[in-house]
Structure formats: structure tokens, C-alpha cells
Amino acid sequence: MLYLQSIYRKMNDNYNKNIAREIKQVLSEIGENPEREGLIKTPERVSKSMEFLTNGYKQNPQEILRSAMFAEDYSQMVLVKDIELYSLCEHHMLPFFGKAHIAYIPDGYIVGLSKIPRTVDVFSRRLQVQERLTDEIKDCLQETLNPKGVAVVIEAQHLCMQMRGVQKQHSSTTTSAFSGIFMSDEKTRSEFMKLIK
Ligand SMILES: [Zn+2]
């Protein structure tokens, strides 16, 4: 029992103390009392959630894709729609969230379908702008899988705009990035766009 308690304490103690210390300072600076009951564990919780929301820095998306690449003759479009996405904008560190739609046309290799949302997670769990996020996902798939082309469309709402009143509520931002045949062949691109509507 004591042993379990000490493991539990250790697990609980496993957070970045530097982040927690700074968050405590922020709480004071905004006029809060960081010692009151509701806030006493907040620095620790923010530290843990911040580490989770930025754990994409510690992961290699190319490795994740390579771990499930298979030689295959299939040469039609592979499309994964409505991939949930949560990221933090690098200007305000506030969430932006929405959906990603990703397609590729294989050229000898396919990838396990679950690895595509994983790739989205790795790039999303870093400080981002939506434009770069879209490009990074496209480039990663193109460079790792070397398919005939990749298409990525992201639709997202940005809390840094909505909460600060910069943008009308519920409006969303769409970004897209294409490579290979999606870039050069209008018909392939419009087929993709039709499929994600
Ligand atoms: Zn922002």
C-alpha cells in the first residue's frame, strides 16, 4: 500500500516544474491569488496539459508513417475525411480546431490508414499557424510515401480571433496544399474537392 502510494506520488509529481513556476507567476500578475483552493494545483495542471498539447515536438511523423508502409499496386485516390484536429496558434497560444481532409494517390506504397490522423496529431501538437500546419502535413506525406500526389484541406475555427472579438463567431478558415498530380491535374483536384464537400 505504501509502495503504491509512493508510485502514485511519483506519477503525480511528474510535471515540468519550470512551467508550473511561471504559470504561478502569471496568476499573480493577472491579479489572482495562486494560493486559493481552486488555483493551488492549477500551475501543475497547466504544466501537464501544456506538455501534452505540445508533445508533437518529441515525435517523428516520418517514423510513424514508415512503421506502417506497405508495397501495393493500388493506384486510385485514398481519402481520409473529417480528421479531428486540435492545435495551438503560435501567436496567442490559444486553440484552433476543426477538421482535416487528406488524400493521396499511391505510387507503389500505401500506408496504414490510422497513421494519417496520427501524422495530423504530431504536427498539430506544436505551436502552429494553420497555413504551415497544412503544408507540413502535405510535405511529410509526399516525402515519406512518395505518392503521385497529396492533397490536404483544413477547415478550422480560431479561438484567438473568436474570443478576442476579432472575427465574427463561428466563421472558419480554410487552407489547402497540393502536390504532384493534385497540383498539375485540375480534374484530380476537383474530384478531391467534390468528395470532401
Ligand atoms: Zn492567434
Side-chain angles (χ1 to χ4, degrees):
M1 203 56 197
L2 264 177
Y3 174 67
L4 279 178
Q5 271 173 8
S6 86
I7 288 183
Y8 182 69
R9 207 174 308 126
K10 219 172 183 175
M11 272 170 53
N12 244 4
D13 212 38
N14 190 16
Y15 63 95
N16 186 315
K17 309 282 186 306
N18 294 334
I19 297 177
R21 193 182 54 237
E22 300 300 328
I23 293 296
K24 190 172 175 187
Q25 183 65 29
V26 169
L27 288 172
S28 298
E29 291 295 330
I30 62 173
E32 263 292 356
N33 168 17
E35 306 296 339
R36 71 177 172 85
E37 199 191 353
L39 291 179
I40 195 83
K41 295 206 99 182
T42 296
E44 176 183 331
R45 283 189 291 256
V46 173
S47 173
K48 285 176 179 169
S49 89
M50 193 53 72
E51 283 190 273
F52 175 77
L53 297 173
T54 57
N55 70 14
Y57 291 112
K58 295 181 183 143
Q59 296 179 64
N60 182 335
Q62 293 204 321
E63 246 168 49
I64 292 169
L65 288 172
R66 280 198 208 100
S67 74
M69 263 174 70
F70 311 100
E72 187 65 63
D73 281 338
Y74 187 79
S75 62
Q76 301 300 306
M77 189 185 302
V78 179
L79 169 67
V80 186
K81 264 179 25 168
D82 297 324
I83 301 167
E84 265 185 80
L85 168 156
Y86 299 91
S87 189
L88 290 173
C89 88
E90 68 183 15
H91 302 130
H92 306 90
M93 294 176 73
L94 285 169
F96 66 95
F97 60 95
K99 281 177 172 163
H101 314 290
I102 298 178
Y104 71 98
I105 297 181
D107 189 12
Y109 286 92
I110 57 166
V111 67
L113 287 177
S114 70
K115 302 303 175 195
I116 291 177
R118 281 281 307 281
T119 303
V120 171
D121 281 346
V122 171
F123 286 111
S124 299
R125 290 184 189 152
R126 299 176 182 185
L127 299 184
Q128 281 289 5
V129 295
Q130 186 178 329
E131 294 86 341
R132 190 176 67 237
L133 175 61
T134 311
D135 265 334
E136 284 181 345
I137 295 168
K138 181 257 297 168
D139 289 340
C140 182
L141 281 162
Q142 183 62 50
E143 282 159 24
T144 314
L145 212 54
N146 204 19
K148 290 184 178 132
V150 175
V152 178
V153 166
I154 293 177
E155 303 167 297
Q157 300 189 37
H158 292 248
L159 289 190
C160 68
M161 285 160 72
Q162 294 180 349
M163 291 179 79
R164 298 184 317 127
V166 182
Q167 184 192 44
K168 291 230 182 299
Q169 300 288 312
H170 307 306
S171 78
S172 76
T173 305
T174 303
T175 47
S176 58
F178 303 103
S179 66
I181 194 169
F182 287 100
M183 186 91 110
S184 59
D185 184 34
E186 157 116 50
K187 234 182 80 196
T188 308
R189 188 168 63 241
S190 66
E191 188 194 340
F192 165 74
M193 296 306 279
K194 214 166 65 198
L195 285 168
I196 66 170
K197 276 282 129 60

